[in-house]
Amino acid sequence: MTSNDDYVLEILQENGYITSDQIEMIRAEPIEPGQSTVDALIAAEVIGEVEVLGVLASQFGMEVVSLVGQNIVPEIRDLLTVDIVRRYRVIPLSKEDGTVTVAMSDPIDFDTLDSLRHLLKCNVEGVVALKSEIRTLVEKYYAIDSDMDLMLDQIEDGAIDVASSGVDDADDDAESAESDAPIIKLVSLIILEAFKARASDIHLEPMEKKFKVRYRIDGVLKSVESPPKRLQSAIISRVKIMSSMNIAEKRIPQDGRIQVNILGRELDLRVSTVPTNHGESIVMRILDKQSLALGLPQLGFFADDQQTFERLIGMSDGILLVTGPTGSGKTTTLYACLQQINKPDRKIITVEDPVEYQLSGINQVQVRKDVGLTFEAALRSILRQAPNVIMIGEIRDRETANIATEASLTGHLVFSTLHTNDAPGAVTRLLDIGVKPFLVASSVRGIMAQRLVRVICEHCKEPYEPEDSELHLLGITREHVPALHISKGRGCSKCGLTGYSGRKGLFEILVINDEIQRMIFEAESAAAVRKRARELGMRTLREDGIRKVNAGVTTLDEVMRVTMGDED
């Protein structure tokens, strides 16, 4: 029980709780390996554990606490990893004024407190609690981590046989990998934890001396507890088996899909592998079908922008482009548009690579280059299907752009995406691809650029006074601040201490009116188009971001992060 058995026995004798005869009697009996004399006295009911803790706590001026019904919020729980909790047999309880309080069952273990102070780089104070109560809290608040550690401990101890493979070792026996129960559980645990953390991606990254696992949560990568490097090959093989890949092929990139049911939710995982210097790197994109229930208001539109956008998607013909970098929510926006206009009197066909979600009542075509079903081939075929609305996953080349333009000019409404930084830049991109200026001017009805910003957690939102440097970057003067209601998240258990929970869009909507059409026809620069569009009322991404800061939706930091390239 204690780190200094003789010293504790001496204290108990001095306080009259035990006698020398009782000590000799216990020592004359066989004692289990690792058990101290004090533990044996407690087991023989010569003295109670509560009495021992009370005497020792009094001796060193410590408090004895009961942990029954004790709640530990995640920000306190996360101060210590499961490894530290198990190694030192402590549980964190609170943090106030820079001092962390931990419960421990051995009041004399001063080395533990010193180690924790060094680890946390702050003052650590101990209170005394029953070992059983500490164990109960560890099982309650570190359950999943404990399961993972227990599984890995069993592997380390040889209780579960796992083949140890280097990065370059061949691992061709799929059936053997499939039957490896602990690895199956470990991979399932990684996916489950990612889902519970609201992650959009799982990254399994082989490094020189470690196998890193990271989750992308609200667009930001976060490292999590990683398995040992020597399990890398088995974990990668398991993921490749689940996604129907060739586990023997490690020299070329592969793509696959996994369908799972987690806590009653149907999820699709889009899996991609790429060979690196230290093994195959895997990214699993988590596609939650419930996210398709998002309507335009849930995307983050203000009422005026939503009204403009709904007018654009309600047109009978023309092209509507959504632009932005990878991961900016373009596909989600297009799916929300299709859901909005999906009526029984309209036929909608999409051409995608890949088809990310199955949409009810919509014909979706998966591009398959291996059989010659490219974007342009699919588009030429579906035009003969007499659709009202066509969605093209992305305009990547001249052929696709020309077919989209032709379709829009023959009475079809066409949705698609482009990788450009802002809305006016999409015009330049189409011209660079090779589309004639008069075709762009006559076919494109509107262009919307977008970014995703993290939303302030409603549970820990509080007023915030920005620095002058932040205001300068956003083009705001100190005089504007009283009119703004700037907030930020303090960080709490609901948001995992980040201060953010969820994401919404920033939007820049360029409506192609007669004057903009003329500028496109005359092949004027994107800068000129942007300047005139702003004069006509177009809000930039940054300006929309400032509106959302003022509305308490997001923070100045987030707007600066995603609009650093936005020109004023």
Side-chain angles (χ1 to χ4, degrees), residues 424-442:
V427 174
T428 304
R429 175 64 177 151
L430 289 175
L431 298 178
D432 289 343
I433 287 177
V435 183
K436 300 296 183 182
F438 74 91
L439 290 176
V440 176
S442 57

Side-chain angles (χ1 to χ4, degrees), residues 63-306:
E63 180 185 358
V64 180
V65 300
S66 171
L67 301 182
V68 177
Q70 175 77 38
N71 292 319
I72 302 175
V73 295
E75 55 261 37
I76 299 301
R77 169 200 182 274
D78 294 341
L79 290 172
L80 299 178
T81 66
V82 65
D83 289 335
I84 298 300
V85 167
R86 291 177 61 197
R87 181 188 308 165
Y88 294 111
R89 296 170 184 170
V90 298
I91 189 86
L93 299 179
S94 64
K95 183 176 182 180
E96 294 182 6
D97 299 327
T99 297
V100 175
T101 300
V102 300
M104 54 198 303
S105 61
D106 186 355
I108 301 180
D109 190 4
F110 303 115
D111 289 340
T112 288
L113 293 178
D114 288 339
S115 298
L116 293 177
R117 289 178 186 123
H118 177 74
L119 179 70
L120 297 175
K121 295 184 172 48
C122 67
N123 186 37
V124 178
E125 299 294 338
V127 294
V128 184
L130 293 175
K131 184 188 300 183
S132 59
E133 293 180 357
I134 293 176
R135 187 183 304 115
T136 298
L137 285 187
V138 169
E139 291 173 355
K140 177 180 179 181
Y141 290 100
Y142 294 83
I144 292 178
D145 290 339
S146 297
D147 288 344
M148 179 181 288
D149 277 4
L150 177 60
M151 187 187 308
L152 297 180
D153 284 346
Q154 289 175 318
I155 295 171
E156 296 287 347
D157 295 341
I160 300 175
D161 184 20
V162 177
S164 179
S165 303
V167 171
D168 297 324
D169 293 344
D171 186 6
D172 298 335
D173 191 351
E175 293 184 2
S176 174
E178 184 81 51
S179 63
D180 198 343
I183 296 300
I184 292 173
K185 292 179 181 178
L186 182 54
V187 172
S188 298
L189 185 61
I190 290 171
I191 296 173
L192 173 64
E193 282 298 279
F195 171 75
K196 291 172 68 176
R198 301 180 295 105
S200 60
D201 305 290
I202 303 170
H203 294 250
L204 307 178
E205 302 169 312
M207 302 297 171
E208 183 179 3
K209 296 182 179 180
K210 65 185 298 185
F211 184 49
K212 185 185 293 184
V213 178
R214 295 195 289 176
Y215 298 155
R216 188 180 297 278
I217 303 171
D218 291 335
V220 178
L221 281 171
K222 177 183 178 182
S223 295
V224 297
E225 188 176 0
S226 301
K229 172 71 173 177
R230 66 186 190 82
L231 299 182
Q232 172 181 311
S233 180
I235 292 172
I236 291 174
S237 294
R238 172 58 186 166
V239 173
K240 291 173 73 173
I241 289 169
M242 293 173 69
S243 47
S244 301
M245 295 181 187
N246 180 0
I247 67 170
E249 180 56 75
K250 303 181 180 181
R251 300 164 298 175
I252 59 174
Q254 297 187 62
D255 295 305
R257 297 181 80 96
I258 302 172
Q259 289 188 323
V260 294
N261 186 304
I262 298 180
L263 304 177
R265 298 270 287 272
E266 292 289 340
L267 301 181
D268 285 336
L269 275 64
R270 196 172 77 198
V271 185
S272 171
T273 71
V274 63
T276 69
N277 286 342
H278 304 294
E280 291 175 281
S281 176
I282 293 182
V283 175
M284 292 183 275
R285 170 72 61 87
I286 301 175
L287 305 175
D288 185 359
K289 295 180 180 179
Q290 289 196 10
S291 65
L292 290 181
L294 289 178
L296 294 181
Q298 286 72 44
L299 295 178
F301 285 104
F302 281 129
D304 53 351
D305 283 343
Q306 183 176 333

Side-chain angles (χ1 to χ4, degrees), residues 351-520:
V351 183
E352 304 171 67
D353 183 22
V355 174
E356 294 193 1
Y357 297 100
Q358 300 293 331
L359 300 174
S360 176
I362 294 177
N363 301 277
Q364 295 174 269
V365 178
Q366 168 72 56
V367 169
R368 293 188 58 190
K369 294 180 181 178
D370 56 331
V371 296
L373 187 60
T374 60
F375 269 108
E376 54 268 27
L379 283 171
R380 292 189 185 281
S381 297
I382 67 173
L383 286 176
R384 293 192 289 270
Q385 295 285 312
N388 301 103
V389 180
I390 300 169
M391 189 194 91
I392 305 169
E394 181 186 347
I395 294 179
R396 304 179 180 179
D397 49 44
R398 180 177 179 178
E399 290 75 20
T400 305
N402 281 331
I403 297 172
T405 303
E406 292 171 8
S408 70
L409 294 175
T410 54
H412 302 86
L413 180 61
V414 180
F415 295 120
S416 191
T417 68
L418 274 177
H419 284 98
T420 62
N421 290 328
D422 59 8
V427 174
T428 304
R429 175 64 177 151
L430 289 175
L431 298 178
D432 289 343
I433 287 177
V435 183
K436 300 296 183 182
F438 74 91
L439 290 176
V440 176
S442 57
S443 62
V444 178
R445 297 286 183 264
I447 305 169
M448 184 175 76
Q450 72 175 67
R451 300 288 190 277
L452 291 177
V453 291
R454 292 182 291 175
V455 176
I456 300 173
C457 174
E458 290 294 334
H459 299 279
C460 60
K461 181 188 291 187
E462 60 185 15
Y464 167 64
E465 184 70 21
E467 300 289 338
D468 289 338
S469 58
E470 295 174 303
L471 298 177
H472 176 71
L473 286 173
L474 286 170
I476 304 173
T477 62
R478 179 63 62 180
E479 289 73 23
H480 290 107
V481 174
L484 299 177
H485 306 288
I486 301 177
S487 304
K488 71 186 305 183
R490 182 180 62 256
C492 66
S493 60
K494 300 290 185 181
C495 60
L497 300 179
T498 63
Y500 300 98
S501 180
R503 289 189 292 175
K504 288 190 181 295
L506 303 184
F507 305 104
E508 177 181 286
I509 303 176
L510 172 62
V511 178
I512 308 300
N513 58 19
D514 292 341
E515 187 166 355
I516 301 298
Q517 270 189 335
R518 178 190 59 77
M519 296 180 72
I520 296 173

Side-chain angles (χ1 to χ4, degrees), residues 309-327:
F309 194 65
E310 286 181 345
R311 180 167 57 83
L312 290 174
I313 67 176
M315 292 183 174
S316 59
D317 60 16
I319 298 177
L320 176 63
L321 295 172
V322 180
T323 76
T326 301

